Amino acid sequence: MFFDIGPLEMVTIFVIAIVVLGPEKLPKAISEISAFTRKVRSFSDSAQADIRRELGPELADLQQHSLQLRDLHPQALAQQALTGAEDETRPHATTATKSSPVPPPA
């Protein structure tokens, strides 16, 4: 579901809300919570739109820089080294170097 809340947790929250608020006040509380959630979501969407509009082409540079930073993530580097595979969708990906074979002990 949403907020990583399962059905059992939702039922528990609903039962607690009925006990605390009572069945008369519960519908009004739900409508107020949903109105608040809509306002927060609208504010967030408008803020994202304003940032995208203000940054314009600079946003593409930031996104490209973010992709380059993802290549340096330790998990991605380890996975790349273990599999020996390169991600061909990113031209700036580092290539895994293969070490020279070690001679057998004498």
Side-chain angles (χ1 to χ4, degrees):
M1 288 185 100
F2 57 90
F3 300 121
D4 201 26
I5 297 176
L8 184 60
E9 289 89 359
M10 288 295 291
V11 169
T12 305
I13 291 171
F14 187 70
V15 169
I16 291 172
I18 289 175
V19 170
V20 171
L21 297 174
E24 309 87 35
K25 295 180 183 177
L26 187 61
K28 184 175 184 194
I30 290 174
S31 67
E32 289 175 359
I33 290 171
S34 63
F36 176 74
T37 304
R38 278 193 302 271
K39 286 181 184 179
V40 168
R41 188 175 293 146
S42 171
F43 176 74
S44 172
D45 291 343
S46 67
Q48 286 179 356
D50 289 344
I51 290 171
R52 285 189 180 113
R53 185 175 55 248
E54 291 294 324
L55 290 179
E58 295 168 1
L59 183 62
D61 293 340
L62 288 174
Q63 289 172 341
Q64 182 65 27
H65 183 67
S66 173
L67 287 176
Q68 290 173 351
L69 290 178
R70 284 190 199 132
D71 288 342
L72 299 177
H73 190 276
Q75 183 180 7
L77 290 173
Q79 184 178 12
Q80 184 180 12
L82 290 173
T83 61
E86 283 188 45
D87 187 3
E88 296 173 2
T89 59
R90 297 183 198 161
H92 56 275
T94 59
T95 59
T97 59
K98 296 186 179 189
S99 61
S100 61
V102 177

